[in-house]
Amino acid sequence: MHVMSETVEVNHHYLDRVVALSEDSGVEASEDIMAGNGMKLLAKGARIDARAKQRLLEYKLSKPLESMMRVVEGVGSRKIDRVAEALLERHPLLSRLCGAATGKLLSTSLRDLILTSQVDSLLSVYAAQSPAKLEHAVGIALVSAAMANQVSGGPPMDLMLSAGLLHDVGEVYIDPAILAPGAKLTPQQWKHVAAHPIVGARVLKDMPGAGIKVA
């Protein structure tokens, strides 16, 4: 008996943010983007921009869009290094929290942290919301890894850095109006905000470079 594979609906808030990012950075299909019915929607290398948006929303996909696209110039580990150095210099409390782990974090762990194309692209979409987003993610990554470094037999630094960097990516699937500073939210809207770690975990659990442990 032939069983049709599960199809995936594109989250339109996520796609809106991808399209907005495409106005300043190259966002393209990393492979042929196929609908669940076998129709090719976008060829590998095609831009994912406003013209492609409606086509991607019209069909359920054979795989999550996150696994079939890439940001050409994503945040990358080098940019993360620079952000980390600037944060530690600007915030003495953060520097004290990282303590003895600071040198190891900057000289080895962050420098050698490898982000897969999928992880880099998702983090880039998250960071594009505002300049403060990447700083927040890097700050949490530093604190998480530094704390893990103080625990005997604790989780590896690269795992904690990745989890810290990605802890808020579930936000990109939420209506931006709900996340706007000062927004007065209904109880139902608060549920959407509170659920963003769960949404992020669902996306990350099957993503190369993240997986169950990061999720």
Side-chain angles (χ1 to χ4, degrees), residues 106-176:
L106 292 178
S107 66
T108 305
S109 299
L110 268 173
R111 185 192 65 201
D112 295 340
L113 184 66
I114 297 174
L115 302 180
T116 62
S117 174
Q118 295 92 334
V119 167
D120 185 49
S121 295
L122 181 58
L123 185 59
S124 297
V125 174
Y126 165 77
Q129 294 179 90
S130 77
K133 290 296 185 183
L134 185 58
E135 287 193 350
H136 173 67
V138 173
I140 294 298
L142 289 172
V143 172
S144 301
M147 290 174 68
N149 188 60
Q150 296 179 37
V151 178
S152 177
M157 271 195 172
D158 59 345
L159 174 63
M160 297 307 293
L161 287 170
S162 296
L165 288 171
L166 298 166
H167 79 282
D168 261 348
V169 294
E171 286 185 358
V172 302
Y173 301 89
I174 298 174
D175 183 349

